[in-house]
Amino acid sequence: MNYLSTRGDATPRKFCDILLEGLAPDGGLYLPERYPQVSDAQLTELRGAYRSQGYAELAFRILSLYIDDIPPADLKRLCEKTYMAEVFGTREIVPLRHLEEGLWIEALSNGPTLAFKDMAMQLLGNLFEYELARRGEQLNILGATSGDTGSAAEYAMRGKRGVRVFMTSPHGRMSPFQQAQMFSLQDANIHNLAIEGVFDDCQDIVKAVSSDHAFKARYKIGTVNSINWARLLAQVVYYFAGYFQATQTNAQKVSFTVPSGNFGNICAGHVARQMGLPIDRLVVATNENDVLDEFFRTGAYRVRGAADTHETSSPSMDISKASNFERFVFDLVGRDGARTRQLFAEGVARQGFFDLGTDPVFQDARAKYGFESGKSTHADRLATIRDTYERFGQIIDTHTADGVKVARERRGDPAVPMIVLETALPIKFAETIQEALGRAPERPAKFEGIEQLPKRVQVLPADAERVKAYIAAHCD
Ligand SMILES: *Cc1c(COP(=O)(O)O)cnc(C)c1O
């Protein structure tokens, strides 16, 4: 399988070539040159493999369709090492639980940091270690986080050979639980940098350091952001696992609702659907930051400025633009790289928007690709958390609540099961749960008392030069 860029560069690249890269050199995102098609017989085999051999085997088989530059025995070992019941809590890894008539929740948040990002990041950690060792190279990951991404990256890379992590976060602005999760890590290769500023300052520092090409090359600076194809590919697997748990035969369809921000999670659903997984609807759920809902309603993609990006109680969906969205648009416009370049490099980058509302291809988003969308607000979130607790005795996190709210509105055919992806556990957003229910959510035993553990963090001013000096002093 070769990979190409959404902006037209079709120089053939293999999976491991793009594994350690971010954007393609032309500014586009990488996608496979085609989506492998899964026949009915293959789907039956995958169903059997998941049931009898488990999630790691399912992951190995799906990944093998996209990766031909890692020997199969190695890839299998990497999947087995990643998707273990001891790490994710159950044999199913992503167990489905029933909520109400026709509606299910797929638990993706029982990994080390209690958010779905572990599903992909844990695999990425093992892939990075493997590939860096094979090349005899080192990588220093520099990132910015307001919570979930940074902790998932640190837990995935801790103790890995050849990798260091330098993670910036806004000093004093993450929840006490999130701070404790990250800062309690004592691994020598993990560096927490608390920046005296806001999240945007952290992102600006990462950009400034990455655009110093000499520094970037000398210190082998890389990233693990959500546009990484390997992360997206790892997420495709749990759409299959959800489908197999909700159905008995391949004649049945399911729909998914996905609490969305950067469009990474639901883009994996789009890939699964393009491979032939019988998905009816893919429902995008947003919070008050409704860039994506606006697009799927009107065809206008209008990125927001900082002033129009709201801080909400589902903070991991507080985005001003959706960094993976270009992948879907590339497919929507018939894989036309020149057109995609025009929409993003000219429309979005220059004017902050494009509008496909009057273009016939926009109808395909719904008709051909199954997309629907909806939006949820703070009041909806509280009401949904309350209602789910009172009627079913289940506490769901704020992002998942946005999903449940929108899923109920966009069910479609009542005979088709609707699966809502659970993107975090409620303990990560305890304040809002307290506000909704007047009680705190349960805390998994392994996180008892983490706020009291010793913290390993360096506070720095919002100054890229100081961050560079820190990195230089802590490499080799
Ligand atoms: C990252 C995240 C999301 C958004 O996922 P995308 O892939 O960016 O759409 C939703 N919920 C939680 C809890 C997250 O951490």
Side-chain angles (χ1 to χ4, degrees):
M1 175 67 75
N2 288 327
Y3 290 85
L4 44 71
S5 161
T6 52
R7 296 200 184 169
D9 179 353
T11 315
R13 292 175 179 87
K14 289 288 175 190
F15 178 82
C16 290
D17 298 331
I18 65 169
L19 173 65
L20 303 166
E21 271 182 61
L23 290 174
D26 65 356
L29 277 64
Y30 288 114
L31 273 179
E33 61 187 355
R34 61 188 166 77
Y35 297 115
Q37 296 301 299
V38 174
S39 67
D40 188 54
Q42 278 174 307
L43 198 59
T44 301
E45 276 176 29
L46 292 173
R47 186 188 285 279
Y50 179 46
R51 189 162 298 160
S52 62
Q53 298 171 72
Y55 191 92
E57 177 67 21
L58 178 65
F60 165 64
R61 292 189 187 203
I62 292 171
L63 265 50
S64 297
L65 301 172
Y66 290 90
I67 304 176
D68 50 21
D69 53 344
I70 295 178
D74 291 357
L75 186 60
K76 193 173 163 111
R77 191 174 46 75
L78 292 168
C79 290
E80 286 168 353
K81 188 171 148 184
T82 304
Y83 298 111
M84 299 195 293
E86 301 81 72
V87 176
F88 289 93
T90 58
R91 186 184 168 280
E92 292 81 9
I93 304 294
V94 290
L96 215 58
R97 64 177 195 270
H98 190 233
L99 190 65
E100 64 196 33
E101 181 59 35
L103 202 144
W104 302 76
I105 289 188
E106 184 171 359
L108 304 181
S109 304
N110 296 307
T113 72
L114 311 182
F116 87 96
K117 293 192 173 67
D118 289 329
M119 292 302 304
M121 209 71 94
Q122 288 284 312
L123 180 71
L124 202 68
N126 286 324
L127 284 168
F128 273 21
E129 185 177 53
Y130 173 83
E131 185 59 18
L132 288 167
R134 200 157 72 156
R135 297 179 180 199
E137 286 177 13
Q138 302 245 331
L139 186 70
N140 292 307
I141 294 167
L142 174 64
T145 190
S146 53
D148 290 345
T149 307
S151 55
E154 291 188 354
Y155 279 76
M157 303 297 165
R158 62 188 297 200
K160 293 277 184 288
R161 284 179 302 272
V163 191
R164 286 188 201 88
V165 178
F166 297 91
M167 190 58 65
T168 62
S169 60
H171 183 42
R173 286 178 193 253
M174 288 190 298
S175 76
F177 185 84
Q178 286 178 317
Q179 291 185 41
Q181 261 190 334
M182 287 177 56
F183 301 167
S184 63
L185 289 179
Q186 299 297 327
D187 306 75
N189 70 329
I190 303 297
H191 300 270
N192 288 301
L193 307 179
I195 302 296
E196 292 170 325
V198 295
F199 177 58
D200 279 339
D201 295 316
C202 299
Q203 280 194 309
D204 288 346
I205 289 173
V206 171
K207 270 188 215 145
V209 176
S210 304
S211 55
D212 179 342
H213 296 291
F215 185 88
K216 189 176 176 203
R218 160 127 202 245
Y219 291 102
K220 312 241 179 296
I221 303 292
T223 58
V224 285
N225 50 27
S226 77
I227 58 163
N228 185 293
W229 165 255
R231 274 180 70 178
L232 209 128
L233 178 57
Q235 293 169 353
V236 171
V237 180
Y238 53 68
Y239 284 87
F240 281 81
Y243 174 76
F244 293 140
Q245 291 179 84
T247 61
Q248 302 296 321
T249 75
N250 303 344
Q252 291 170 276
K253 285 191 169 188
V254 303
S255 292
F256 287 93
T257 299
V258 186
S260 292
N262 275 318
F263 204 76
N265 201 355
I266 199 160
C267 194
H270 165 68
V271 171
R273 196 175 183 276
Q274 291 308 104
M275 293 170 72
L277 188 67
I279 296 176
D280 185 21
R281 291 185 169 188
L282 284 169
V283 183
V284 179
T286 74
N287 64 16
E288 290 87 337
N289 297 291
D290 58 352
V291 193
L292 290 167
D293 180 41
E294 183 179 357
F295 174 79
F296 285 105
R297 274 187 298 106
T298 69
Y301 180 62
R302 193 169 53 84
V303 305
R304 313 289 202 250
D308 297 318
T309 307
H310 309 284
E311 265 187 48
T312 74
S313 47
S314 45
S316 299
M317 291 153 61
D318 292 350
I319 50 107
S320 52
K321 57 178 192 285
S323 54
N324 271 290
F325 188 52
E326 185 169 331
R327 288 193 160 107
F328 171 66
V329 172
F330 179 67
D331 284 345
L332 185 66
V333 299
R335 298 205 135 205
D336 180 340
R339 180 91 199 274
T340 309
R341 157 176 290 285
Q342 188 197 8
L343 293 173
F344 284 89
E346 284 164 38
V348 175
R350 298 238 177 93
Q351 289 151 330
F353 79 100
F354 61 73
D355 191 349
L356 291 177
T358 55
D359 189 308
V361 295
F362 176 59
Q363 303 307 320
D364 289 348
R366 188 170 265 112
K368 182 171 167 199
Y369 295 102
F371 274 92
E372 295 281 339
S373 73
K375 165 181 175 175
S376 164
T377 64
H378 183 68
D380 295 326
R381 214 165 287 137
L382 294 183
T384 307
I385 291 169
R386 223 173 268 140
D387 166 80
T388 306
Y389 183 59
E390 283 164 9
R391 285 164 60 207
F392 312 110
Q394 291 189 32
I395 303 184
I396 54 174
D397 108 284
T398 55
H399 308 74
T400 310
D402 290 333
V404 169
K405 188 263 181 182
V406 172
R408 286 175 175 155
E409 295 169 348
R410 300 281 182 272
R411 277 289 307 276
D413 183 347
V416 175
M418 172 61 84
I419 301 175
V420 178
L421 299 187
E422 179 175 56
T423 55
L425 291 196
I427 185 68
K428 294 200 91 168
F429 305 96
E431 249 173 61
T432 307
I433 304 298
Q434 185 76 41
E435 185 184 345
L437 303 180
R439 60 157 285 189
E442 278 113 45
R443 175 179 288 236
K446 62 183 170 182
F447 292 100
E448 260 345 308
I450 54 165
E451 287 90 343
Q452 277 73 54
L453 293 175
K455 293 190 169 53
R456 200 163 159 273
V457 56
Q458 175 71 48
V459 180
L460 288 176
D463 176 352
E465 293 307 318
R466 294 287 297 274
V467 171
K468 280 190 211 167
Y470 183 94
I471 294 172
H474 291 85
C475 286
D476 48 62

